[in-house]
Amino acid sequence: ASLVYFQDRTDGMVAFDAPFGAGVKRGDSIEVTGTVVQFNGLTELQPVSSFTILDSHRTVNPVVVTCGQIRTNGEPYEGMLIKILNVTAVHNFSGANVTVWTVAGSGSNYRLISGGDSCDIRIYGSTNVANRPVPPFPFNVVALTSQFKSSPPFNSGYQIIPRDSADFSLLTGIVPYSSTVPGKYILNQNYPNPFNPKTIISYELPENNFVLLKIYNVLGEEAATLVSKKQNAGNYSVEFDGDNFSSGIYFYSLFIGNNAVDTKKMFLLK
């Protein structure tokens, strides 16, 4: 028996003991039919009566969230792929620092610390994360959002589950924890958004290159340059402080050399 996580553009869900077998792989787009049930707070399809593979090699960009959002109300992110930035410590449930993801049985839980808040992280023994060193701090982590609460009310017990070692990356991006680099240039949505006055902008580089990250106002005028230098392949995050800016809509653009990779909108509300 196993859980398979899948999501569309709005939400995520879990299929329990689905008959996907080796035919469905990460990145496949599927159409799935089943019965919706709830087990220990986690909404599931069980059983799955049919599925069809529609496409493959699709990319899901994780939603950037905070530990506090997962811990206090992970329901909106249940079943979804998320990213937590700037993890600064990992503790066991006695509050002691952890340096190795020691796993007993099928899996073990730890407490992730980021931004002055915490959330639970579960490491499964079947992954290549188990019994490996915790990556150097600070790091970013991509994970699935799950829930385990054995009794009502089912409004807590949220936890994140990394899929493998490639879900961890150092903030410097010089040597990603997984010894791999991103497959393409990605500019993530800033978090929080709207913000007041600070927000985090993260991006991913598949190769060494000269990087420009610029802020523009609604008139298209350049308001700030956050990055202007050559960077190695990897994952990066930058803080934008809008304390000296007026409320309104702003845009941020990632340039590689002279070529614009992507532009996204953000809202400063004071």
Side-chain angles (χ1 to χ4, degrees):
S2 61
L3 296 178
V4 176
Y5 291 74
F6 57 96
Q7 67 184 80
D8 59 15
R9 291 183 176 87
T10 61
D11 215 334
M13 204 169 181
V14 175
F16 176 76
D17 205 15
F20 294 152
V24 174
K25 300 179 179 62
R26 185 183 301 179
D28 285 348
S29 174
I30 62 173
E31 179 180 277
V32 60
T33 303
T35 302
V36 178
V37 299
Q38 192 177 64
F39 179 75
N40 287 333
L42 185 64
T43 303
E44 305 175 351
L45 284 184
Q46 208 283 328
V48 172
S49 56
S50 66
F51 71 94
T52 303
I53 300 176
L54 305 176
D55 198 1
S56 58
H57 304 296
R58 302 292 292 271
T59 299
V60 177
N61 291 327
V63 177
V64 178
V65 299
T66 65
C67 272
Q69 286 178 293
I70 297 298
R71 181 179 57 79
T72 60
N73 182 23
E75 197 69 27
Y77 310 104
E78 187 179 284
M80 295 184 67
L81 194 65
I82 59 91
K83 176 184 279 190
I84 293 178
L85 304 176
N86 198 30
V87 175
T88 54
V90 176
H91 294 168
N92 60 26
F93 288 93
S94 297
N97 288 326
V98 172
T99 59
V100 176
W101 301 113
T102 302
V103 173
S106 63
S108 296
N109 284 19
Y110 292 98
R111 190 142 287 160
L112 210 65
I113 313 297
S114 173
D117 212 327
S118 65
C119 60
D120 289 354
I121 181 170
R122 181 165 181 82
I123 307 298
Y124 277 106
S126 58
T127 69
N128 61 1
V129 182
N131 301 309
R132 289 187 59 183
V134 174
F137 302 113
F139 63 80
N140 298 335
V141 59
V142 172
L144 299 161
T145 307
S146 189
Q147 184 181 22
F148 186 87
K149 181 73 161 50
S150 58
S151 60
F154 296 110
N155 55 4
S156 62
Y158 300 101
Q159 56 188 214
I160 67 169
I161 303 173
R163 301 162 297 176
D164 52 45
S165 61
D167 281 341
F168 296 85
S169 59
L170 303 185
L171 244 61
T172 61
I174 295 174
V175 183
Y177 175 59
S178 63
S179 298
T180 63
V181 296
K184 63 179 181 179
Y185 292 103
I186 295 176
L187 179 64
N188 295 309
Q189 186 64 52
N190 66 298
Y191 181 84
N193 189 40
F195 64 99
N196 178 27
K198 296 180 180 181
T199 189
I200 298 293
I201 299 172
S202 63
Y203 55 95
E204 303 175 24
L205 310 177
E207 57 190 358
N208 303 350
N209 221 317
F210 190 86
V211 177
L212 280 171
L213 182 62
K214 293 180 175 288
I215 309 294
Y216 297 90
N217 63 24
V218 73
L219 299 177
E221 300 168 333
E222 184 177 327
T225 298
L226 300 185
V227 179
S228 178
K229 61 182 178 181
K230 186 174 182 179
Q231 292 183 310
N232 293 329
N235 301 270
Y236 293 82
S237 61
V238 179
E239 183 180 74
F240 172 59
D241 189 343
D243 189 49
N244 295 324
F245 293 78
S246 58
S247 296
I249 297 173
Y250 291 86
F251 299 88
Y252 58 99
S253 297
L254 178 67
F255 296 84
I256 303 301
N258 294 320
N259 299 316
V261 171
D262 198 2
T263 296
K264 294 188 182 296
K265 182 191 296 185
M266 60 183 178
F267 300 87
L268 173 59
L269 297 179
K270 292 186 175 181

